[in-house]
Amino acid sequence: MTQLMRRSGAMPQRALRVVGAIRLSRYHDATTSPEVQEEMITLAANRIGGSLVGWARDIDVSALKTSPWEREELSHWLQRPDDWDVLIWQRMDRAVRSMADMANLGRFAKQHGKRLIFASGPGGDMLELDFGSAMSELIMLILAFAAQLEGQTIVERNQGAAARLQSLGRWAGGPVPYGFQPVRKIFPDGNEGWWLGEHPETADIRRASIARTIALKSYSSTTEWLNTSGAVTPTNHRARLAGREEDPESQWTTTTVRSMMLSDLNRGHLVTRDGVTVRNPDGSPVIQGDALISDETSRQLREATKALAVEVLQGPRRRDAHELLGVLVCHDCASNMHAGTRTMPDETRAEVFRCNSDRHDKSVPKPAVTKATTVAWVHSEFVERFGFMRRTQIVRTAGVDHRPEIEELEENLHELNERFPRMRGAAADLVESQMNGISDRLAELQAIPVEPPKIQVVELDTTWGDAFIAASDEGKRQIMLDMSVRVTVGPPTGWRRPVEERLTMTIDRPDPEADALEEALHQAQL
């Protein structure tokens, strides 16, 4: 009669081909470390007279969230049933925590004639599942149900523990955010716990990415910079902290970079998986780690992400940029001139700037000028006309302005106000308490008058000519854009006419003193 559990001591006539399966949800779980599982699986394989032909090591994999066929190394062997005879785990919960997964695994073993063994079953002895009878399959599902129930209990217990730790300002565990590392810390209540401390290498990389975003570099360009510079990825950062082997195929993605830039983790705040900041009953954010950036940098980052979001909505950035883009315009339609090539009278090809705009009057020929000659003339003309001017810089001394914090609190209040109608019971009480706390803080800040910054115009030792000559082509273009320089290309009159006669440079140079005075008056009226 077929038995569900067979305590095997007799040696089979031929060596069974055994695959050892190791699974671990979190690498730092010492009680079920890979080494412990491997030792017990090896003992079980020797006990049945088997020979280990391979291992399926799936680390950082949850049995509640993935089926055996969704685990990278285990699925490799399940797709090759002809290469092995027996599959051994340390315990059933290392294999499955779902009745459905156990049923599927049982059908697979029955169909392919495979043996499934657990080195430690009920009572501690080895357990082998036999799929020869309906009663055996029923008992198998009962055991799987127990594993599933245990898994759900563990999840609920962990969630409760995490909520308690979060309320105390402790880090409750989980994937380590980029730029941080878990450290032990003595908290103000005198107890020791986990805290997200700054990880020097990755924190610097995260801050460098933030600086690029504040400079309005696109998320895609920052992603490319991270990949080409060889910056360690979030996946490999966690692997290093856990002492695991890194994934050589791991790459930065634009989605990851954007999420990092939008996350209040940058200030050490506790955030949910969907990016919402977790708050105390008084509305203040829960702190679980070191702040990687200051409040002022955070404000600048928030403004930059808003600008980049508008840019994304407006469409992709231009790919036809050239040395004079935004400076060189058509005389007729005032559209930017585009870089391209043109066949010259002698049949040679030359780089040119030309107007491609649909707004151009169709009765007037579109202008085109040679690129090299035009760039040389514009650069020379700028230095000759404006190079002697002293550069000026507006120096601002910060005043008192809580408007950024007020704006942030108003956004938080709006977010909580949208969530409140869906809340019930204790959750509603908590959200109401947070809204009251934020409202009180708003009232305090709104009562503080704005003091405008002090503004002083300082004349520098260098001239615009010095700065222009030292700048790159892109730097020269930016200087001309900042000074509102425009170069108009006149109508075509034949290629024999000198290009310089068709170019006209104009400038509406801002007056720094007037700008400073205007800004001061504006601040005083707020």
Side-chain angles (χ1 to χ4, degrees), residues 122-401:
D125 202 357
M126 188 173 70
L127 166 68
E128 178 176 349
L129 296 181
D130 188 342
F131 305 97
S133 70
M135 183 58 67
S136 297
E137 295 185 14
L138 174 62
I139 298 175
M140 171 197 71
L141 291 178
I142 292 174
L143 293 174
F145 172 74
Q148 178 175 325
L149 186 62
E150 179 188 15
Q152 293 173 343
T153 302
I154 291 173
V155 169
E156 293 172 0
R157 184 170 66 244
N158 289 342
Q159 289 175 343
R164 172 60 178 166
L165 290 173
Q166 291 168 3
S167 68
L168 297 174
R170 273 71 159 171
W171 180 58
V176 180
Y178 196 78
F180 298 90
Q181 60 183 340
V183 297
R184 300 294 289 177
K185 175 182 175 180
I186 302 297
F187 289 86
D189 59 9
N191 294 318
E192 184 179 358
W194 286 106
W195 175 260
L196 286 177
E198 179 178 321
H199 183 263
E201 178 188 357
T202 55
D204 286 345
I205 294 172
R206 187 161 186 153
R207 280 191 286 260
S209 301
I210 289 171
R212 289 179 59 87
T213 301
I214 292 175
L216 296 182
K217 300 291 185 181
S218 67
Y219 299 129
S220 58
S221 70
T222 299
T223 302
E224 182 179 0
W225 170 74
L226 288 166
N227 283 322
T228 55
S229 65
V232 59
T233 64
T235 298
N236 286 336
H237 169 57
R238 290 190 288 269
R240 288 182 182 182
L241 293 178
R244 300 196 312 269
E245 184 178 351
E246 297 181 31
D247 179 7
E249 302 299 324
S250 179
Q251 292 283 312
W252 285 91
T253 65
T254 303
T255 300
T256 299
V257 172
R258 180 178 180 276
S259 297
M260 280 175 44
M261 298 302 101
L262 296 176
S263 176
D264 274 339
L265 270 168
N266 294 313
R267 290 193 285 174
H269 295 180
L270 173 64
V271 298
T272 62
R273 288 187 176 182
D274 55 359
V276 177
T277 299
V278 179
R279 299 190 173 277
N280 293 309
D282 64 356
S284 61
V286 175
I287 306 298
Q288 67 166 357
D290 294 336
L292 301 185
I293 59 176
S294 66
D295 290 343
E296 173 61 19
T297 302
S298 176
R299 182 192 66 78
Q300 295 174 0
L301 177 61
R302 188 165 60 251
E303 293 300 318
T305 55
K306 290 180 180 178
L308 290 175
V310 171
E311 183 178 89
V312 170
L313 291 175
Q314 290 176 341
R317 306 187 82 183
R318 300 190 63 135
R319 297 181 178 273
D320 59 350
H322 56 74
E323 297 92 329
L324 300 179
L325 181 63
V327 176
L328 195 66
V329 298
C330 172
H331 72 97
D332 178 73
C333 59
S335 299
N336 287 326
M337 301 287 283
H338 294 259
T341 59
R342 181 169 180 171
T343 302
M344 305 298 287
D346 60 0
E347 301 300 325
T348 61
R349 301 289 292 179
E351 290 185 305
V352 298
F353 294 125
R354 60 189 174 194
C355 176
N356 293 332
S357 176
D358 293 335
R359 300 195 303 269
H360 195 94
D361 186 345
K362 293 181 172 55
S363 64
V364 179
K366 293 181 178 180
V369 288
T370 55
K371 179 178 178 180
T373 305
T374 302
V375 171
W377 182 88
V378 171
H379 290 176
S380 174
E381 185 73 5
F382 179 90
V383 173
E384 181 178 346
R385 293 181 59 180
F386 311 110
F388 67 92
M389 294 180 178
R390 289 284 183 181
R391 296 182 64 195
T392 57
Q393 181 176 359
I394 298 177
V395 178
R396 294 176 172 85
T397 303
V400 178
D401 188 354

Side-chain angles (χ1 to χ4, degrees), residues 374-434:
T374 302
V375 171
W377 182 88
V378 171
H379 290 176
S380 174
E381 185 73 5
F382 179 90
V383 173
E384 181 178 346
R385 293 181 59 180
F386 311 110
F388 67 92
M389 294 180 178
R390 289 284 183 181
R391 296 182 64 195
T392 57
Q393 181 176 359
I394 298 177
V395 178
R396 294 176 172 85
T397 303
V400 178
D401 188 354
H402 292 290
R403 285 176 297 178
E405 186 177 354
I406 290 173
E407 180 183 351
E408 181 179 358
L409 290 174
E410 288 175 340
E411 291 177 357
N412 294 335
L413 190 61
H414 177 70
E415 172 198 325
L416 292 173
N417 191 49
E418 288 186 336
R419 292 165 53 191
F420 184 68
R422 302 191 297 271
M423 300 294 180
R424 298 290 184 272
D429 294 339
L430 176 61
V431 172
E432 184 178 13
S433 175
Q434 292 176 342

